[in-house]
Amino acid sequence: QKEVEQDPGPLSVPEGAIVSLNCTYSNSAFQYFMWYRQYSRKGPELLMYTYSSGNKEDGRFTAQVDKSSKYISLFIRDSQPSDSATYLCAMANSGNTPLVFGKGTRLSVIA
Amino acid sequence: ETGVTQTPRHLVMGMTNKKSLKCEQHLGHNAMYWYKQSAKKPLELMFVYSLEERVENNSVPSRFSPECPNSSHLFLHLHTLQPEDSALYLCASSQDSGHLGNTIYFGEGSWLTVV
């Protein structure tokens, strides 16, 4: 079983839809969870950062972590064409350990 | 503009060539990274430097050779590559090499094609 599983998509939604992006993981030691957004031909940029379980909201974006299920989600409300990108989840243990990335989900928001 | 600049943006090289990728960060960070991004695969960490000292090498083949002359510059020297090495090579930096709580800033990447 891969350490981090993420459906690569592509996922295509109409403008204004609520988008749900997900990752599952196998390492119960992961404590830190991140979502990166990567536009075409650009490097990834950090979108959301959460520690342990719970929710974090930032504008139209909500990150959710369920450690009991080893499942994390990123919700995008009122999606816009400018949200079209690849979204990568990443996670790490406590301590100075490297990030483990998912493969990324490609999202297209159609106007 | 993330403050991390990579050159060249695109590179095509033969399997017998020697070339280098260059990265420069203007953020005053102490840690720099090389990642490899292949189609349909997760981002793979290749090398980590903290204060110009290599702190991580994830079993990368010796045909990839990093160099960090100072905390602002990072190179990836390439020689006798294979076609499967074709990928996007991303440079990144952060305040220090602890990922936790440190935002990692990525460059736009260098697209490498090995023919």
Side-chain angles (χ1 to χ4, degrees), chain A residues 14-29:
Chain A
E15 184 176 356
I18 296 174
V19 176
S20 172
L21 303 166
N22 312 294
C23 287
T24 58
Y25 61 94
S26 58
N27 187 346
S28 57

Side-chain angles (χ1 to χ4, degrees), chain A residues 38 41-44 49 95-96, chain B residues 9-10 37 97-98 100-101 107-108:
Chain A
Q38 186 174 19
R41 312 194 78 76
K42 300 280 188 184
Y49 178 100
N96 191 15
Chain B
R9 294 295 316 280
H10 299 271
Q37 189 173 36
S97 64
L100 307 178
E108 296 195 340

Side-chain angles (χ1 to χ4, degrees), chain B residues 55-69:
Chain B
V55 297
E56 183 108 21
N57 172 3
N58 281 358
S59 303
V60 179
S62 59
R63 56 186 185 270
F64 295 93
S65 174
E67 180 190 357
C68 188

